[in-house]
Structures are given as C-alpha cells and as structure tokens.
Amino acid sequence: MLANENAAHTIVRAFRRHGVEVAFGQSIPTAFHLIAPGYGIRQFAYRTENAGAAMADGYARISNRVAVVTAQNGPAATLLVPGLAEALKASIPIVALVQDVARGATDRNAFQELDHIDLFRGVAKWVRRVAKADRIDDYVDMAFTAAAGGRPGPAVLIVPIDLFQDAAPKESGRVASLGAYPLDRPQADPAMIAAAADLLAGAAHPLVVAGGGIHSSGAAAALAALQEAAHLPVGTTSMGKGAVDEGHPLSVGVIGYFMGRRGVGKFMRPIVDRADVVLLVGNRTNQNGTDSWKLFPKGARFIHLDIDGQEIGRNYEAMRLQGDARATLTALTEALAARDLGARAAGRSAVEAAIREGRRAHLDEAAAMTGATASPMRPERIMAEIDRRLTPDTIVVADASYASIWINNYLRARRPGQRFLTPRGIAGLGWGLPMAIGAKVASPASPVICVAGDGGFAHVWAELETARRMGTPVAITVLNNQILGYQKHAETATHGAHTDAVAFAPVDHAAIARACGCLGVRIEDPEAYGPALEAALAADRPTVIDVVTDPEAYPPVTAFDGRLGGQ
C-alpha cells in the first residue's frame, strides 16, 4: 500500500480481488473510476443508468461472473431500480456501487439526497451503507457473497462521497475471490435424490422442464447427460431456452403460454398433456412459464430442483430437491444408472417419433409465413433468416414482449448451453439493446444478434452511441410495425378494442443509427434481409437493420387462438 492511498483504493482493490474487470458506470463515483483502470478494471460508460443496469445483467448472464454497475445518488440511483428488479426476479448477480451524500450532510436535505436503503430494499437481496473505511473489505465481501451466493441476485453497496477520501485502512490481507457464480454448489439430500430417481424410473411419461437456473448453475452438460442416459424428454421455459440442444431427438423446445397457432409448442402439447411425472429444474413455475398454471395435467406428480427452497412447491406440491442444479443433476443421473431403466429405453423410440412428427407438423404449418415474400415482412420470415445464420456460438438477445416470443419459437439452439437472453424477470421493454451490449462485452468473440420491437427499441436509442463509442459491434434487428404489438393485440383479444396509445408515428431507426455513427439499413423487401444480416454480423461497428414488418402479425400466444383476426 502506497503512502498516499485513500479509501477509494481500498474499495477498488477489493472489487478487483473478486475478479471484477469491467464496471458499467458514468463518471460517478469519480474517485472509484479514476483509480480503477490502474487495477485492471475497465470503465464502460453508458448513457443512462437504466440501460447500464441492463448491460450489467447481460454481462453477468454470459460471463457467469458478478457484474458491477455504478451510479450517483438521487435521480441516477432511481434509474437503476428497473434493471435491478429484473435481475432480482431473474436471479442475476449484480453489485451496484452507489455514491451517497457526505456523512455530515445526511438528513439535511443535501443535493439529491434520498433514502437509498428504502429505495433499493424491494429490488435487491442485500442493501447496506458503509460508514467507516476500516469496514470496506467487510462490506464489499458481503455484497459479493449476497449477489453470488444461494439464489443469485443484486446487492447494493452505498458509499458516502467523503468516505472515498478517508485515509486507507491497513490492508486486510484477504485473498478470497467471490465474484464467480454459483458461489457454492450444495447437493440436495441424497435420500430425496434416491426417491426422485425411483419416481422417474417408474414413470410412464416423465417430462423435464428446465428453467434459467440451468444456465446460472452451468448445468447444461449435466442436463444433457441426464436426458440421454435416462431417455427423458426435456422442454424449457423462455429463460431456460438453450439449456439443451433443440435438435436432440428428445428435446421438446420451449413450452409455456405460447403454444398456439404456428408455434412449435402447439405440436408438443400431447407430450405435456400425458406427463405423469414432471421434473422442474431451476424453474420458478411462474405465470407465463405455466400458461397461467394450466399447462400441466392435474394428476401429474412433481419433483422440483431449485437452489431456492422458497420456490420449491410454490405453485405445485413437489418432491423437494433443494440444491445446485449441476451438482444435483449429476447425482440424480448416477442414481438413475443404478435403477432399471428398461421401460424408459423401450419407450424412447415412441417419444422421439412424437417429437419428430411435432417438429415436422410445425414446419408445415408455419411454412407459408417463414417463406413469405410479401411486404411488409413477416416476423416468421425474419426468424427463419436468422436461424439459417446461427452458429453454436451465436448469442441471441431479445427485448421483452413479442421479440422474446418470436425467438423462442423460431430459433433453434445448436448445443446445450447456447444462450438466448430474454428479460423474463419482470419483462420490461427496453432491455434488448443494452443487454446485448453487455453480452458482447462479456464475450467479444461471439456473434451477438439483438431482436427488438420498435416500441422497446425507442426506450434506448441513446445507447447506440454507447455501443459505437465503446466498440461493441452488435447486429440489431428492429421489428418496425409502428405499434405496441402485444398491447394492441391483447387489448383487442380481451376487450374487443384497443387504446390509442398503441400506435406510433413512422420512425426511420436506420437513420437514427447512422446519426450515431453506426451502420443503418432499412428493409422493405424480404429478400434483402438475409444479406443485410450477414453484413451486420461481419461489420466492425453496431448495425441497425430496421425492418418494416406486418402490424397484423402476432406470435403463437395461446390465449389469442380464436380471439384475433389477421395472421
């Protein structure tokens, strides 16, 4: 420790000890960001805090490391709330470092003073304000432990501005690095694993439904081993997409609330309907993932594996397997190997045939749309063009609403563990572009494709400049139908009419991109989209492909069947 070091050095050193290499933040806390590069922590400067939190989210999902976002007190801090709320519900570990007013100014109506502990209490696992320099290492370690431990999520560390300038305390000598997740890998009770193995081995029609916890645990390989060894069909939730190779003969695809017309899930419904034992893994059993809790047959028995014991049995009474997904799935596969799986093996060909026929029927039903040549362009055709260009290393990021549903239905995971990022925690619009930027920062060599509707994209236009300035070439497709599609169609299906707020004036998003120094192209001819996407993936800067799309098109939301006209 140098003689002129202050507490800011202690904070930065503690963050670096936990493996932090990037901090998403503007200039505040200035004392932190001025010092951080000297310790190997790069500042990634966003334009708005809400987008910065989404960037950190995308970074954490791809890197499997705790992400860091910083902000000033007051209005800047309030803009972190939506992103941290998404991270809390989606179980994504983020440490938010928030500068506060000076200790002597507390509760004196200082400039932009706010009760940040109350502000963040509902959107974080852990919120604390450090008041003494000699407790910095304690609080930083607690923040990273909270973020990465157990069920991951956000932690908020609040630091008064004057504390950064305090004299540096004596070095703690700590060496623990707590920045990777999962921090611990507890295995479920062996007796419960044995009971689960018995139930699965004896089931006539078992089904595995994998959620986002597979990705958080890094359990895709373990799930693939279970799928193959025990002859189990596997479906996923939206956040679980990519947990298995969707070309595997036992992969059902994404199931949930969009198993309607032209959806691949429509033709997998018989497999779900006859399930007698359902193994839920890293799965919140939320409303969308269970089609409002109507998806599974009433007589099914459930086994629920989750790191968070509160989630087990929340919506379906279940055999409890509380533990890390990778560790417990590995143990479950070993336990099943000691059981008689003859019935499972004998029934495998019939299950594979049903899945194969379901895929074929889906392709046949959707062919008119995936091959459509009319203008405005069909989203299904866009998805078909993207799918032709996917590699096993491609990362696809979708904004909330229809964009997420389109990619979940029409893009195919090429390998276990391929990433398709969707903001399904609270599903707010505007996450797509910044989450894609964060993903690219985490994996610069991976192609990153972002799909967003024009409604969601409008929330974050400013971050095009960020992507250009910071050198993150992502390929962005804007589905420009000049409406809030989900809102319009849901209102029409429910009320028979829609509000005026669902319609937009025409916007040329490609022109906005070019104004920010990015590449921008507007597509009205469907034949031009594929080559434009190839060019975007090869470009050295961000590219916006602004596609004029059919406003009557809607994805296979089950609740829309028979309630909407159009296509």
Side-chain angles (χ1 to χ4, degrees):
M1 186 172 70
L2 301 176
N4 62 346
E5 286 189 1
N6 57 26
H9 290 83
T10 305
I11 295 171
V12 172
R13 196 157 40 234
F15 275 63
R16 189 68 188 92
R17 172 164 55 86
H18 296 307
V20 176
E21 297 178 349
V22 180
F24 296 90
Q26 291 185 341
S27 58
I28 293 175
T30 305
F32 178 91
H33 287 296
L34 286 175
I35 295 167
Y39 288 85
I41 300 177
R42 172 191 178 198
Q43 180 181 6
F44 194 98
Y46 52 69
R47 292 292 291 259
T48 60
E49 285 77 11
N50 54 336
M55 291 175 195
D57 183 324
Y59 179 89
R61 295 191 197 205
I62 296 302
S63 67
N64 273 97
R65 302 201 62 83
V66 177
V68 172
V69 64
T70 71
Q72 184 180 355
N73 53 291
T78 67
L79 290 175
L80 289 181
V81 169
L84 296 186
E86 168 67 26
L88 180 69
K89 296 294 286 186
S91 306
I92 307 301
I94 296 173
V95 168
L97 177 64
V98 177
Q99 179 176 287
D100 203 356
V101 301
R103 286 164 289 186
T106 301
D107 292 332
R108 299 183 69 186
N109 289 329
F111 180 62
Q112 296 185 335
E113 183 181 11
L114 194 64
D115 185 340
H116 295 101
I117 291 178
D118 269 359
L119 173 70
F120 291 115
R121 199 185 304 276
V123 296
K125 291 176 63 180
W126 180 95
V127 187
R128 296 291 189 278
R129 185 175 188 265
V130 58
K132 297 179 62 179
D134 62 3
R135 297 297 309 281
I136 287 171
D137 275 301
D138 294 337
Y139 278 88
V140 172
D141 285 13
M142 282 189 277
F144 277 84
T145 299
R151 177 177 176 173
V156 181
L157 179 61
I158 302 164
V159 182
I161 186 172
D162 58 318
L163 187 145
F164 287 98
Q165 305 303 325
D166 281 2
K170 181 180 178 180
E171 289 194 36
S172 67
R174 298 184 185 191
V175 295
S177 184
L178 307 171
Y181 73 99
L183 192 57
D184 307 298
R185 291 196 179 275
Q187 182 179 296
D189 182 347
M192 298 302 291
I193 292 173
D198 289 337
L199 188 57
L200 286 167
H205 302 290
L207 174 67
V208 180
V209 184
I214 290 288
H215 294 300
S216 293
S217 174
L223 178 60
L226 174 68
Q227 178 183 37
E228 186 60 34
H231 318 288
L232 295 172
V234 178
T236 74
T237 66
S238 293
M239 283 193 63
K241 185 177 176 66
V244 290
D245 177 352
E246 289 177 324
H248 189 283
L250 287 172
S251 291
V252 174
V254 181
I255 59 176
Y257 72 111
F258 40 76
M259 298 170 72
R261 185 173 55 159
R262 289 191 296 273
V264 64
K266 169 184 173 181
F267 300 97
M268 300 299 173
R269 187 171 290 279
I271 295 172
V272 179
D273 287 346
R274 66 171 175 255
D276 58 342
V277 175
V278 180
L279 170 60
L280 304 164
V281 185
N283 183 334
R284 294 180 294 149
T285 63
N286 65 356
Q287 183 172 10
N288 287 351
T290 61
D291 197 11
S292 296
W293 307 285
K294 302 189 300 286
L295 181 63
F296 302 114
K298 292 189 180 299
R301 299 182 66 183
F302 292 87
I303 304 164
H304 198 160
L305 164 56
D306 204 278
I307 192 66
D308 184 356
Q310 288 289 104
E311 292 297 341
I312 298 173
R314 178 191 289 271
N315 292 308
Y316 300 95
E317 187 175 86
M319 182 179 293
R320 298 177 60 86
L321 295 179
Q322 182 177 359
D324 171 68
R326 190 172 84 185
T328 303
L329 286 176
T330 299
L332 181 59
T333 303
E334 293 171 355
L336 279 162
R339 269 73 179 168
D340 180 2
L341 297 178
R344 295 263 33 80
R348 176 168 177 157
S349 61
V351 176
E352 290 184 354
I355 292 173
R356 185 167 57 249
E357 174 58 24
R359 291 174 182 168
R360 186 201 61 75
H362 163 65
L363 292 175
D364 287 348
E365 186 183 51
M369 298 304 172
T370 56
T373 58
S375 297
M377 195 169 178
R378 291 290 305 193
E380 297 95 331
R381 171 69 187 275
I382 295 171
M383 295 302 112
E385 297 290 345
I386 294 174
D387 192 66
R388 290 188 190 103
R389 292 160 178 83
L390 286 188
T391 72
D393 296 322
T394 303
I395 298 168
V396 182
V397 183
D399 211 326
S401 194
Y402 278 179
S404 293
I405 305 175
W406 290 124
I407 73 159
N408 276 313
N409 269 275
Y410 288 94
L411 304 186
R412 179 174 61 84
R414 267 58 176 179
R415 62 175 175 85
Q418 184 166 9
R419 298 311 307 272
F420 297 81
L421 307 189
T422 54
R424 305 310 300 173
I426 57 172
L429 287 175
W431 268 270
L433 172 59
M435 190 178 284
I437 292 171
K440 188 68 174 179
V441 174
S443 186
S446 298
V448 176
I449 296 173
C450 174
V451 178
D454 52 340
F457 187 62
H459 285 243
V460 286
W461 286 336
E463 303 306 332
L464 286 172
E465 185 278 330
T466 301
R468 174 73 176 107
R469 169 170 40 85
M470 299 304 295
T472 49
V474 295
I476 307 143
T477 292
V478 178
L479 307 178
N480 186 356
N481 58 8
Q482 290 185 212
I483 58 170
L484 284 172
Y486 209 151
Q487 191 66 27
K488 178 179 179 179
H489 296 144
E491 288 178 358
T492 302
T494 304
H495 302 286
H498 60 79
T499 61
D500 293 340
V502 300
F504 301 133
V507 174
D508 187 340
H509 302 92
I512 294 172
R514 292 192 296 271
C516 294
C518 303
L519 301 176
V521 57
R522 188 173 175 88
I523 300 294
E524 298 185 27
D525 176 6
E527 300 302 322
Y529 176 75
L533 178 59
E534 291 178 1
L537 289 169
D540 62 354
R541 67 180 68 185
T543 302
V544 171
I545 308 172
D546 185 27
V547 188
V548 179
T549 56
D550 185 352
E552 297 301 314
Y554 56 87
V557 176
T558 309
F560 289 173
D561 276 2
R563 303 175 72 185
L564 286 178
Q567 300 291 323

